[in-house]
Amino acid sequence: MALITVKELSLGYDNIEIANNINFSVSQGDYLCIVGENGSGKTTLMKTLLGLKDPLRGQILTGDGLMKNGIGYLPQHTDVQKDFPASVKEIVLSGCQSHCGFKPFYSRKDKELANENMEKMGITHLKGRSYRQLSGGQQQRILLARALCATRKILLLDEPVSGLDPEATYEMYRLIEKLNKENVAVIMISHDIDSALAYATHVLHMGSDVFFGTRAEYLESRLGKRYLETLGGGEIA
Ligand SMILES: Nc1ncnc2c1ncn2[C@@H]1O[C@H](COP(=O)(O)OP(=O)(O)OP(=O)(O)O)[C@@H](O)[C@H]1O
Ligand SMILES: [Mg+2]
């Protein structure tokens, strides 16, 4: 059974629809890229999958032992986050919050998990540093370690490479790919269509037309061809 199955989902705010007819599923080991124009509802979809927002209509089913609070999330970058006044360790640990509910402390197991994920992301040496004094690439790796504390099954990444230089971008994609190879399913929103398609197994295109299918099906689809042409891409085999 799939980890997440979405059926006839319609999204919006204050009953005003911004996206509809969304159908897709994500299984263990999948790498789903969500593409589409600004304002097409990609971030809203992620918030809805996380249960932070109700859909207007439709269903989100979880399976394969996935709980709603067992999803790791790396939110879309904002300037406010960039200045967050906390240490690296505190930020990574806060990813464990869904495990301990509203308890105002972290268990030894949480601390071990945070250490393990900092090690995986190569940020252990930054542990005691202030988050806001670090580079964009370092900050994104910290947020990825944080997201990993909430899950071993599925990560939702909202534009994880936005604002990063080419080297930091490559490093971020490499880390995400490594996690995916270790069987963590990935749902990633990206405007970097060429790289997104280099890694994706599946594509969800949002907008006035909606497409969901494998990467190969997307590259052959009318919508995929048109979108790649508009962006000047299409070099992907
Ligand atoms: N809290 C909110 N209240 C009302 N409308 C909102 C809210 N958040 C987003 N919207 C609107 O919903 C639409 C979709 O926004 P969303 O952030 O999901 O788009 P997106 O596809 O992630 O865009 P981008 O590529 O720019 O990140 C936009 O028209 C936006 O103005
Ligand atoms: Mg967005």
Side-chain angles (χ1 to χ4, degrees):
M1 185 169 177
L3 289 164
I4 295 182
T5 306
V6 167
K7 290 186 178 168
E8 291 302 323
L9 202 66
S10 159
L11 306 172
Y13 294 90
D14 306 320
N15 256 345
I16 300 166
E17 193 170 75
I18 55 159
N20 66 15
N21 200 23
I22 305 165
N23 293 280
F24 67 91
S25 64
V26 177
S27 300
Q28 216 184 358
D30 282 356
Y31 195 136
L32 171 68
C33 274
I34 305 180
V35 299
E37 294 77 24
N38 293 121
S40 56
K42 303 180 298 294
T43 296
T44 304
L45 171 62
M46 275 201 177
K47 289 184 177 165
T48 309
L49 294 178
L50 287 158
L52 300 174
K53 208 200 153 308
D54 290 329
L56 297 183
R57 279 183 304 280
Q59 281 182 300
I60 300 168
L61 308 169
T62 52
D64 219 357
L66 182 70
M67 311 292 277
K68 267 260 164 78
N69 66 359
I71 301 176
Y73 177 45
L74 189 157
Q76 187 164 10
H77 172 85
T78 64
D79 286 338
V80 179
Q81 271 165 21
K82 206 172 161 47
D83 278 329
F84 202 70
S87 74
V88 168
K89 189 176 146 196
E90 282 166 334
I91 291 195
V92 175
L93 254 175
S94 69
C96 296
Q97 246 156 22
S98 56
H99 297 300
C100 54
F102 296 107
K103 279 192 278 176
F105 59 85
Y106 297 102
S107 67
R108 205 175 72 193
K109 241 173 123 192
D110 290 332
K111 289 175 189 162
E112 280 168 10
L113 184 62
N115 284 337
E116 188 189 309
N117 289 327
M118 283 191 276
E119 195 63 42
K120 262 193 193 169
M121 296 300 111
I123 53 168
T124 303
H125 62 293
L126 302 173
K127 209 171 167 174
R129 297 277 300 275
S130 168
Y131 175 79
R132 61 179 163 195
Q133 288 170 355
L134 299 174
S135 73
Q138 289 169 328
Q139 289 188 338
Q140 287 303 77
R141 279 192 281 153
I142 290 156
L143 294 183
L144 191 53
R146 177 184 187 274
L148 270 177
C149 286
T151 190
R152 288 185 189 274
K153 287 178 184 276
I154 186 162
L155 284 171
L156 270 52
L157 311 173
D158 196 343
E159 302 198 27
V161 301
S162 117
L164 302 188
D165 65 35
E167 199 180 322
T169 297
Y170 171 77
E171 180 62 16
M172 195 68 186
Y173 280 132
R174 204 184 57 79
L175 287 169
I176 297 166
E177 185 188 25
K178 187 163 160 266
L179 294 170
N180 180 242
K181 293 236 160 84
E182 289 167 8
N183 241 344
V184 178
V186 174
I187 303 183
M188 178 174 77
I189 296 174
S190 184
H191 285 288
D192 176 11
I193 184 84
D194 288 350
S195 304
L197 287 176
Y199 295 102
T201 57
H202 294 77
V203 179
L204 173 68
H205 185 124
M206 294 185 61
S208 45
D209 287 329
V210 180
F211 172 95
F212 171 69
T214 64
R215 169 184 176 277
E217 286 164 350
Y218 183 65
L219 291 173
E220 282 305 310
S221 70
R222 184 183 50 83
L223 194 60
K225 282 182 177 159
R226 202 174 62 204
Y227 192 57
L228 285 167
E229 241 166 57
T230 323
L231 296 176
E235 299 297 317
I236 302 139

Short mmCIF file of all heavy atoms in Angstrom, two decimals, residues 37-72:
data_model
loop_
_atom_site.label_atom_id
_atom_site.label_comp_id
_atom_site.label_asym_id
_atom_site.label_seq_id
_atom_site.Cartn_x
_atom_site.Cartn_y
_atom_site.Cartn_z
N GLU A 37 3.61 26.77 -11.83
CA GLU A 37 3.86 28.21 -11.74
C GLU A 37 3.72 28.71 -10.29
O GLU A 37 3.09 28.05 -9.47
CB GLU A 37 2.87 28.99 -12.61
CG GLU A 37 3.00 28.76 -14.11
CD GLU A 37 2.42 27.41 -14.57
OE1 GLU A 37 1.52 26.88 -13.86
OE2 GLU A 37 2.87 26.90 -15.60
N ASN A 38 4.25 29.91 -10.03
CA ASN A 38 4.06 30.56 -8.73
C ASN A 38 2.56 30.70 -8.47
O ASN A 38 1.82 31.09 -9.35
CB ASN A 38 4.69 31.96 -8.71
CG ASN A 38 6.20 31.91 -8.81
OD1 ASN A 38 6.79 32.46 -9.73
ND2 ASN A 38 6.84 31.26 -7.87
N GLY A 39 2.17 30.40 -7.26
CA GLY A 39 0.77 30.58 -6.87
C GLY A 39 -0.15 29.45 -7.30
O GLY A 39 -1.37 29.53 -7.13
N SER A 40 0.41 28.36 -7.85
CA SER A 40 -0.46 27.27 -8.31
C SER A 40 -0.93 26.36 -7.17
O SER A 40 -1.72 25.45 -7.38
CB SER A 40 0.23 26.45 -9.41
OG SER A 40 1.48 25.97 -8.96
N GLY A 41 -0.41 26.59 -5.96
CA GLY A 41 -0.92 25.86 -4.80
C GLY A 41 0.01 24.76 -4.29
O GLY A 41 -0.40 23.92 -3.48
N LYS A 42 1.27 24.78 -4.68
CA LYS A 42 2.20 23.71 -4.30
C LYS A 42 2.44 23.70 -2.77
O LYS A 42 2.36 22.66 -2.14
CB LYS A 42 3.55 23.90 -5.04
CG LYS A 42 3.39 23.92 -6.56
CD LYS A 42 4.71 24.09 -7.28
CE LYS A 42 5.45 25.39 -6.99
NZ LYS A 42 4.74 26.61 -7.48
N THR A 43 2.75 24.87 -2.23
CA THR A 43 2.99 24.96 -0.78
C THR A 43 1.71 24.62 -0.01
O THR A 43 1.74 23.92 1.00
CB THR A 43 3.51 26.37 -0.41
OG1 THR A 43 4.78 26.56 -1.03
CG2 THR A 43 3.67 26.53 1.08
N THR A 44 0.59 25.10 -0.52
CA THR A 44 -0.70 24.81 0.13
C THR A 44 -0.94 23.30 0.15
O THR A 44 -1.43 22.76 1.15
CB THR A 44 -1.84 25.53 -0.62
OG1 THR A 44 -1.53 26.93 -0.67
CG2 THR A 44 -3.17 25.33 0.07
N LEU A 45 -0.58 22.62 -0.93
CA LEU A 45 -0.75 21.17 -0.97
C LEU A 45 0.09 20.51 0.13
O LEU A 45 -0.40 19.65 0.85
CB LEU A 45 -0.34 20.62 -2.35
CG LEU A 45 -0.28 19.10 -2.46
CD1 LEU A 45 -1.64 18.45 -2.20
CD2 LEU A 45 0.24 18.66 -3.84
N MET A 46 1.34 20.94 0.28
CA MET A 46 2.18 20.35 1.33
C MET A 46 1.59 20.58 2.72
O MET A 46 1.55 19.69 3.54
CB MET A 46 3.60 20.92 1.29
CG MET A 46 4.46 20.20 0.30
SD MET A 46 6.20 20.41 0.62
CE MET A 46 6.81 19.33 -0.70
N LYS A 47 1.13 21.79 2.95
CA LYS A 47 0.54 22.10 4.26
C LYS A 47 -0.70 21.23 4.51
O LYS A 47 -0.97 20.83 5.63
CB LYS A 47 0.19 23.58 4.36
CG LYS A 47 1.44 24.44 4.45
CD LYS A 47 1.10 25.89 4.63
CE LYS A 47 2.38 26.71 4.81
NZ LYS A 47 2.15 28.14 4.63
N THR A 48 -1.42 20.95 3.44
CA THR A 48 -2.62 20.13 3.56
C THR A 48 -2.23 18.67 3.83
O THR A 48 -2.86 18.01 4.66
CB THR A 48 -3.49 20.26 2.28
OG1 THR A 48 -3.67 21.64 2.01
CG2 THR A 48 -4.84 19.59 2.44
N LEU A 49 -1.19 18.19 3.16
CA LEU A 49 -0.72 16.82 3.42
C LEU A 49 -0.28 16.65 4.87
O LEU A 49 -0.44 15.60 5.47
CB LEU A 49 0.45 16.46 2.50
CG LEU A 49 0.18 16.36 1.00
CD1 LEU A 49 1.47 16.05 0.25
CD2 LEU A 49 -0.87 15.29 0.70
N LEU A 50 0.29 17.72 5.43
CA LEU A 50 0.78 17.68 6.81
C LEU A 50 -0.34 17.82 7.83
O LEU A 50 -0.11 17.70 9.03
CB LEU A 50 1.79 18.81 7.03
CG LEU A 50 3.14 18.61 6.37
CD1 LEU A 50 3.84 19.93 6.18
CD2 LEU A 50 4.00 17.68 7.20
N GLY A 51 -1.54 18.14 7.36
CA GLY A 51 -2.65 18.34 8.28
C GLY A 51 -2.66 19.72 8.91
O GLY A 51 -3.36 19.98 9.89
N LEU A 52 -1.85 20.64 8.37
CA LEU A 52 -1.81 22.01 8.92
C LEU A 52 -2.96 22.83 8.37
O LEU A 52 -3.23 23.94 8.82
CB LEU A 52 -0.48 22.69 8.54
CG LEU A 52 0.79 22.01 9.04
CD1 LEU A 52 2.03 22.70 8.49
CD2 LEU A 52 0.82 22.01 10.57
N LYS A 53 -3.62 22.26 7.34
CA LYS A 53 -4.70 22.98 6.66
C LYS A 53 -5.71 21.96 6.16
O LYS A 53 -5.30 20.87 5.73
CB LYS A 53 -4.04 23.68 5.46
CG LYS A 53 -4.71 24.90 5.05
CD LYS A 53 -4.45 25.40 3.69
CE LYS A 53 -5.64 26.19 3.24
NZ LYS A 53 -6.92 25.56 3.33
N ASP A 54 -6.99 22.30 6.22
CA ASP A 54 -8.00 21.36 5.71
C ASP A 54 -8.19 21.54 4.22
O ASP A 54 -8.14 22.66 3.72
CB ASP A 54 -9.36 21.62 6.39
CG ASP A 54 -9.33 21.22 7.85
OD1 ASP A 54 -8.59 20.26 8.17
OD2 ASP A 54 -10.02 21.87 8.65
N PRO A 55 -8.43 20.43 3.49
CA PRO A 55 -8.76 20.60 2.08
C PRO A 55 -10.20 21.09 1.94
O PRO A 55 -10.98 20.98 2.88
CB PRO A 55 -8.63 19.18 1.52
CG PRO A 55 -8.80 18.27 2.69
CD PRO A 55 -8.39 19.03 3.91
N LEU A 56 -10.53 21.66 0.79
CA LEU A 56 -11.94 22.04 0.57
C LEU A 56 -12.76 20.78 0.32
O LEU A 56 -13.88 20.65 0.81
CB LEU A 56 -12.06 23.00 -0.62
CG LEU A 56 -11.37 24.37 -0.51
CD1 LEU A 56 -11.65 25.22 -1.73
CD2 LEU A 56 -11.82 25.09 0.77
N ARG A 57 -12.19 19.87 -0.47
CA ARG A 57 -12.83 18.59 -0.78
C ARG A 57 -11.77 17.53 -1.01
O ARG A 57 -10.61 17.86 -1.24
CB ARG A 57 -13.67 18.70 -2.09
CG ARG A 57 -15.04 19.32 -1.93
CD ARG A 57 -15.77 19.30 -3.28
NE ARG A 57 -15.02 19.98 -4.33
CZ ARG A 57 -14.99 21.30 -4.48
NH1 ARG A 57 -15.64 22.08 -3.64
NH2 ARG A 57 -14.29 21.84 -5.45
N GLY A 58 -12.22 16.28 -1.04
CA GLY A 58 -11.31 15.20 -1.40
C GLY A 58 -10.72 14.50 -0.19
O GLY A 58 -11.04 14.83 0.95
N GLN A 59 -9.85 13.52 -0.49
CA GLN A 59 -9.33 12.66 0.58
C GLN A 59 -7.83 12.55 0.55
O GLN A 59 -7.21 12.53 -0.52
CB GLN A 59 -9.86 11.24 0.36
CG GLN A 59 -11.27 11.01 0.81
CD GLN A 59 -11.62 9.56 0.57
OE1 GLN A 59 -11.59 9.08 -0.57
NE2 GLN A 59 -11.94 8.85 1.63
N ILE A 60 -7.22 12.45 1.74
CA ILE A 60 -5.80 12.12 1.86
C ILE A 60 -5.73 10.87 2.74
O ILE A 60 -6.11 10.92 3.91
CB ILE A 60 -5.00 13.25 2.52
CG1 ILE A 60 -5.12 14.53 1.69
CG2 ILE A 60 -3.54 12.86 2.69
CD1 ILE A 60 -4.60 15.77 2.38
N LEU A 61 -5.28 9.76 2.14
CA LEU A 61 -5.20 8.52 2.90
C LEU A 61 -3.74 8.20 3.18
O LEU A 61 -2.89 8.37 2.30
CB LEU A 61 -5.81 7.37 2.09
CG LEU A 61 -7.22 7.61 1.55
CD1 LEU A 61 -7.61 6.53 0.55
CD2 LEU A 61 -8.21 7.66 2.70
N THR A 62 -3.45 7.75 4.41
CA THR A 62 -2.07 7.32 4.69
C THR A 62 -2.08 5.81 4.89
O THR A 62 -3.07 5.23 5.34
CB THR A 62 -1.50 8.01 5.95
OG1 THR A 62 -2.41 7.83 7.02
CG2 THR A 62 -1.26 9.47 5.73
N GLY A 63 -0.96 5.17 4.50
CA GLY A 63 -0.85 3.71 4.61
C GLY A 63 0.57 3.33 4.93
O GLY A 63 1.41 4.18 5.19
N ASP A 64 0.83 2.01 4.91
CA ASP A 64 2.18 1.51 5.13
C ASP A 64 2.73 1.95 6.49
O ASP A 64 3.92 2.22 6.62
CB ASP A 64 3.10 2.03 4.00
CG ASP A 64 4.10 0.96 3.57
OD1 ASP A 64 4.10 -0.11 4.19
OD2 ASP A 64 4.87 1.23 2.64
N GLY A 65 1.83 2.09 7.47
CA GLY A 65 2.25 2.44 8.83
C GLY A 65 2.58 3.91 9.03
O GLY A 65 3.09 4.29 10.08
N LEU A 66 2.29 4.75 8.04
CA LEU A 66 2.61 6.18 8.18
C LEU A 66 1.55 6.90 9.00
O LEU A 66 0.36 6.79 8.74
CB LEU A 66 2.71 6.83 6.79
CG LEU A 66 3.10 8.31 6.81
CD1 LEU A 66 4.54 8.48 7.24
CD2 LEU A 66 2.89 8.95 5.43
N MET A 67 2.02 7.64 10.01
CA MET A 67 1.10 8.47 10.79
C MET A 67 1.25 9.90 10.30
O MET A 67 2.33 10.30 9.85
CB MET A 67 1.47 8.44 12.29
CG MET A 67 1.69 7.06 12.86
SD MET A 67 0.18 6.10 12.90
CE MET A 67 -0.52 6.71 14.41
N LYS A 68 0.19 10.70 10.47
CA LYS A 68 0.25 12.11 10.03
C LYS A 68 1.40 12.87 10.71
O LYS A 68 2.00 13.74 10.10
CB LYS A 68 -1.08 12.80 10.34
CG LYS A 68 -2.06 12.75 9.17
CD LYS A 68 -2.06 14.06 8.38
CE LYS A 68 -2.70 13.92 7.01
NZ LYS A 68 -4.15 13.90 7.02
N ASN A 69 1.71 12.50 11.97
CA ASN A 69 2.81 13.22 12.63
C ASN A 69 4.16 12.55 12.38
O ASN A 69 5.15 12.88 13.01
CB ASN A 69 2.54 13.37 14.14
CG ASN A 69 2.53 12.04 14.85
OD1 ASN A 69 2.71 10.99 14.23
ND2 ASN A 69 2.31 12.06 16.15
N GLY A 70 4.19 11.63 11.43
CA GLY A 70 5.44 10.94 11.10
C GLY A 70 6.00 11.38 9.76
O GLY A 70 6.70 10.63 9.08
N ILE A 71 5.67 12.61 9.38
CA ILE A 71 6.14 13.16 8.12
C ILE A 71 7.18 14.24 8.41
O ILE A 71 6.95 15.11 9.25
CB ILE A 71 4.96 13.77 7.31
CG1 ILE A 71 3.90 12.71 7.03
CG2 ILE A 71 5.46 14.39 6.00
CD1 ILE A 71 2.65 13.24 6.33
N GLY A 72 8.32 14.20 7.72
CA GLY A 72 9.35 15.24 7.89
C GLY A 72 9.10 16.37 6.91
O GLY A 72 8.77 16.12 5.76
#
